[in-house]
């Protein structure tokens, strides 16, 4: 039994061994002894009865199947998932992230892909599509000792908690760390892996794209929790590496566009449509609390 809860509000647990050793290791920072109230049970193996009559679906040629069980009120109660290959990769993107997005929305928050860091009393939230340069810009900022990492990659926003990383790690690509002193922290094997990933991505025109994920401390980077009492600003990372401050309308539009594209890319396993309307409402509440406050303080 592996039980987890993020920020004390987003609980899920696994039945038996989930056969996800790397993911289980990375989730240690949110592990608890027993499942919390309302926790969603997840089974990740192909022998589940609930999956027997479920047809196979395919992600880039990889077979997988999933089934979701609901209680009498329509609440998600149990999820069954199995993939023939790359089970951890597919489970994380097809099951866990969409589940956490729904749970976060129920608690007044939302999900996004980004990078968040703190410098003095201001928190910067970098938003852009994958590969735009968010992590590289953040790593450059972290050369300043006054800068602290909050989270990189898949993020959840919850009222009263701020931004939280789903997994406490940094996603690196060859271009992300090229020319930066953090590169010297990598082993020869890790540098070679990054180069191979870069070549595969280039040859397939990013159809296949892998990265190296490391805990921040492996790079000598200090991370800390977000604080809702701090000033927050949301910035868009342009293709040229520059930053562009976003107003409330741009924040809502760009985040919602990303979430819409996400569910067009990854099949929706749930009976309900993704919670777009509630997500938009929660982003509006976030902007009202932080973005306007930032302008008033300017």
């Amino acid at each position: 039994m592996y039980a987890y809860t993020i920020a004390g509000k987003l609980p899920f647990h696994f039945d038996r061994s989930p056969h996800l050793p790397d993911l289980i290791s990375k989730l240690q920072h949110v592990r608890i002894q027993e499942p919390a109230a309302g926790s969603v049970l997840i089974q990740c193996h192909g022998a589940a009865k609930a999956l027997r009559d479920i047809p196979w679906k395919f992600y880039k040629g990889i077979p997988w199947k999933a089934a979701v069980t609901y209680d009498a009120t329509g609440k998600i109660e149990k999820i069954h998932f199995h993939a023939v290959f790359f089970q951890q990769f597919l489970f994380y993107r097809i099951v866990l992230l969409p589940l956490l997005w729904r749970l976060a929305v129920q608690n007044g928050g939302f999900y996004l892909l980004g990078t968040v860091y703190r410098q003095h009393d201001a928190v910067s939230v970098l938003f852009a599509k994958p590969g735009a340069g968010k992590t590289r810009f953040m790593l450059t900022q972290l050369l300043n000792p006054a800068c602290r990492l909050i989270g990189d990659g898949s993020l959840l926003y919850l009222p009263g908690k701020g931004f939280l990383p789903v997994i406490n790690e940094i996603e690196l690509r060859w271009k992300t760390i090229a020319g930066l002193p953090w590169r010297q922290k990598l082993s020869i094997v890790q540098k070679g892996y990054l180069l191979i990933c870069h070549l595969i991505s280039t040859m397939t025109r990013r159809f296949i794209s892998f990265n190296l994920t490391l805990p921040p401390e492996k790079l000598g980077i200090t991370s800390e929790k977000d604080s809702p009492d701090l000033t927050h600003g949301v910035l868009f990372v342009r293709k040229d590496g520059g930053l562009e401050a976003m107003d409330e309308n741009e924040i809502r539009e760009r985040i919602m566009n990303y979430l819409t594209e996400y569910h067009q890319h990854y099949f929706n396993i749930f009976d309900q449509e993704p919670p777009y309307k509630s997500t938009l409402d929660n982003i509006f509440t976030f902007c009202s609390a932080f973005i306007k406050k930032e302008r008033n303080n300017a």
Side-chain angles (χ1 to χ4, degrees):
M1 176 71 70
Y2 297 88
Y4 306 92
T5 180
I6 297 178
K9 296 182 178 181
L10 316 182
F12 60 96
H13 66 284
F14 295 99
D15 181 22
R16 303 176 229 170
S17 172
H19 306 294
L20 305 170
D22 292 341
L23 183 61
I24 292 300
S25 175
K26 292 174 181 179
L27 287 169
Q28 288 297 326
H29 67 293
V30 293
R31 186 171 178 180
I32 57 177
Q33 291 298 318
E34 299 292 337
S39 182
V40 176
L41 186 147
I42 302 172
Q43 290 185 336
C44 290
H45 54 81
K49 292 182 180 179
L51 293 177
R52 252 178 224 170
D53 298 325
I54 301 295
W56 289 99
K57 295 181 176 59
F58 297 87
Y59 175 80
K60 296 184 179 180
I62 303 172
W64 66 270
K65 56 172 64 179
V68 182
T69 303
Y70 303 86
D71 64 15
T73 66
K75 180 182 175 183
I76 300 168
E77 192 174 57
K78 185 186 296 186
I79 300 174
H80 304 272
F81 178 82
H82 176 66
V84 177
F85 306 108
F86 300 111
Q87 179 156 278
Q88 296 188 125
F89 174 88
L90 292 175
F91 169 78
Y92 186 63
R93 286 156 180 81
I94 294 175
V95 177
L96 188 58
L97 291 183
L99 171 65
L100 292 176
W101 172 18
R102 283 161 172 75
L103 296 179
V105 167
Q106 292 172 12
N107 287 275
F110 54 89
Y111 162 79
L112 79 158
L113 183 75
T115 298
V116 185
Y117 61 90
R118 173 181 177 177
Q119 195 157 4
H120 303 297
D121 291 332
V123 174
S124 296
V125 183
L126 306 183
F127 176 78
K129 292 183 178 181
K134 301 182 298 294
T135 303
R136 180 175 178 83
F137 185 90
M138 176 269 296
L139 288 173
T140 303
Q141 298 302 110
L142 287 175
L143 295 174
N144 183 342
C147 189
R148 292 287 186 271
L149 171 69
I150 291 175
D152 180 54
S154 297
L155 305 170
L156 300 169
Y157 170 78
L158 290 174
K161 298 290 185 180
F163 288 91
L164 308 129
V166 175
I167 297 177
N168 189 30
E169 63 183 11
I170 296 178
E171 298 181 355
L172 301 177
R173 293 182 175 86
W174 181 262
K175 292 183 178 180
T176 302
I177 206 165
L180 296 177
W182 309 111
R183 189 175 183 274
Q184 305 309 315
K185 301 280 186 178
L186 302 180
S187 67
I188 295 177
V189 173
Q190 289 170 332
K191 292 175 184 176
Y193 177 80
L194 278 180
L195 179 58
I196 292 172
C197 291
H198 175 64
L199 294 175
I200 293 174
S201 177
T202 301
M203 289 187 293
T204 62
R205 297 184 180 181
R206 291 183 62 85
F207 181 78
I208 302 175
S209 181
F210 298 106
N211 55 39
L212 173 68
T213 57
L214 291 174
E217 57 268 21
K218 292 292 184 180
L219 294 175
I221 292 174
T222 301
S223 57
E224 64 179 40
K225 293 183 179 180
D226 193 6
S227 171
D229 297 326
L230 300 173
T231 298
H232 286 62
V234 183
L235 306 167
F236 181 73
V237 182
R238 300 192 304 263
K239 291 183 179 180
D240 61 5
L243 296 183
E244 176 184 317
M246 294 192 288
D247 61 24
E248 298 94 309
N249 292 330
E250 290 171 324
I251 293 170
R252 294 196 296 269
E253 180 181 355
R254 282 177 168 156
I255 292 179
M256 293 307 298
N257 285 343
Y258 167 74
L259 292 174
T260 301
E261 290 178 5
Y262 185 97
H263 266 287
Q264 291 173 346
H265 188 73
Y266 295 105
F267 184 86
N268 177 22
I269 65 171
F270 301 98
D271 290 346
Q272 311 97 329
E273 284 294 313
Y276 294 125
K277 175 63 169 60
S278 299
T279 301
L280 188 59
D281 292 341
N282 294 348
I283 295 173
F284 178 83
T285 302
F286 162 77
C287 291
S288 299
F290 292 106
I291 306 305
K292 291 182 180 178
K293 181 173 68 175
E294 178 188 87
R295 289 183 175 180
N296 292 336
N297 290 341

